[in-house]
Amino acid sequence: MNFCFSITLTYFSQVKLQKHNTDNGMKYRNGLHCAARILKYEGVKGLYRGATSSFVGMAFESSLAFGIYYQTKQFLLGGIQSDKPQPGAIFPAAAFAGATISFVLCPTELVKARNHMMQVQGTDSLVSKSSRYGSPLDCAVKTIKAEGITGIFRGGQATLLRESLGNAVFFSTYEYVRYYMHSRLKDASSNPNHLIDVGVGIMSGGLGGIACWCVVLPMDVAKTIIQTSSEKNSARNPFQILSLIYRKSGLRGCYAGLGPTVVRAFPANAAAIVTWELAMKVMGIKRE
């Protein structure tokens, strides 16, 4: 199983688990059960429905978020040189980066989530064939026609909260893990090693991703419910949605999809950090 396949499979399982395990419909036992049903009824092709928007969105989101974070952090540091991470610059810079990209992510994730629901339509026959989406573009056009331009930003509040807090947790964890790992490794060896840098990037990025999703997954669950709702005037307040989920399914419902999310979080964020640090070295940008 290659990396892209793993990321796609776990994301699709996450969306279906969040949608179904918080409703009164079909219940999936876990991510593997969900993935097995997709493979059984739709084959391998079913795992890649909507994958184009997923991959393009991930690449654009990462480049934008890392760029905004780095520039904002440098501005807040004001030229101060310090070996230790500065939470007064890291946290607000990361939160600002998250808030900024949320305006891009909201419409793209709405299209992605609804496009993924074609799988639900195919396996569970919830919707007639005439109302299914033929492509991400078809999904966006139909959403705007049915709900207006504001419809494409359904779930905006949940996305803003998830990205602001999530990026703050992610970059804070990344910076501190990176700092302490490099400090220990520097004491053990005086010779710079590129493999060590890659290893530190993998661990700091992976742990940052897991920490992030453990904090913001409930908000992502609420976002999924809001964006995939078939009712135009359904509730859009994420806290109201989470309250209803908690009363119905308890804390487990608020963390629906945790398994595939964590499985995806470590390799995806580790790869993002290693790529980012490599790109900075290639461009000659010096890290503090």
Side-chain angles (χ1 to χ4, degrees):
M1 183 180 291
N2 61 45
F3 178 76
C4 290
F5 181 84
S6 301
I7 300 302
T8 306
L9 186 152
T10 51
Y11 183 86
F12 288 3
S13 299
Q14 174 192 343
V15 171
K16 289 171 78 73
L17 281 165
Q18 290 179 350
K19 177 61 178 178
H20 284 281
N21 284 16
T22 52
D23 286 344
N24 291 320
M26 163 181 264
K27 303 293 181 181
Y28 295 108
R29 293 191 295 272
N30 50 50
L32 288 177
H33 178 221
C34 181
R37 283 188 60 86
I38 298 174
L39 287 169
K40 180 179 179 179
Y41 289 98
E42 300 182 65
V44 175
K45 185 179 179 180
L47 293 170
Y48 283 94
R49 288 187 176 179
T52 301
S53 59
S54 298
F55 294 140
V56 173
M58 286 173 63
F60 182 72
E61 170 203 350
S62 296
S63 60
L64 188 61
F66 282 109
I68 294 174
Y69 165 71
Y70 180 77
Q71 293 297 330
T72 305
K73 186 182 74 167
Q74 294 302 110
F75 173 78
L76 292 175
L77 287 172
I80 298 175
Q81 297 296 325
S82 175
D83 292 334
K84 293 184 178 181
Q86 301 295 314
I90 294 171
F91 201 90
F96 176 69
T100 303
I101 66 172
S102 70
F103 293 99
V104 177
L105 282 177
C106 183
T108 57
E109 288 197 354
L110 180 139
V111 170
K112 184 165 59 176
R114 292 190 174 185
N115 206 36
H116 291 337
M117 290 309 294
M118 287 192 298
Q119 297 173 356
V120 177
Q121 297 162 2
T123 57
D124 302 316
S125 300
L126 296 181
V127 185
S128 63
K129 290 184 178 181
S130 62
S131 60
R132 297 180 188 179
Y133 303 124
S135 67
L137 179 59
D138 180 47
C139 175
V141 171
K142 285 183 177 179
T143 299
I144 294 174
K145 283 184 178 180
E147 304 177 39
I149 194 66
T150 57
I152 205 72
F153 285 95
R154 177 192 286 263
Q157 183 182 0
T159 306
L160 176 65
L161 292 171
R162 185 199 67 185
E163 289 302 309
S164 298
L165 180 58
N167 274 272
V169 172
F170 169 73
F171 280 109
S172 296
T173 303
Y174 156 67
E175 295 280 10
Y176 276 96
V177 171
R178 177 180 179 274
Y179 168 74
Y180 284 112
M181 287 189 71
H182 272 300
S183 297
R184 294 297 179 89
L185 292 170
K186 186 184 293 184
D187 294 337
S189 175
S190 58
N191 298 320
N193 191 316
H194 294 300
L195 288 178
I196 290 178
D197 290 340
V198 172
V200 171
I202 290 172
M203 290 303 299
S204 58
L207 292 175
I210 291 176
C212 164
W213 282 107
C214 285
V215 172
V216 302
L217 185 60
M219 195 58 62
D220 189 61
V221 172
K223 180 193 73 69
T224 298
I225 299 301
I226 293 169
Q227 292 187 332
T228 57
S229 174
S230 58
E231 298 180 11
K232 182 178 179 180
N233 297 319
S234 60
R236 301 192 184 190
N237 186 319
F239 297 105
Q240 181 182 350
I241 297 295
L242 285 175
S243 178
L244 293 172
I245 293 173
Y246 183 78
R247 288 201 295 269
K248 184 188 299 182
S249 308
L251 189 62
R252 184 175 182 179
C254 295
Y255 275 89
L258 179 62
T261 301
V262 170
V263 169
R264 186 182 89 249
F266 191 97
N269 288 281
I273 286 296
V274 171
T275 304
W276 179 47
E277 292 188 342
L278 177 61
M280 293 183 73
K281 286 183 179 180
V282 171
M283 292 186 291
I285 301 175
K286 186 178 180 181
R287 289 293 308 269
E288 66 280 1

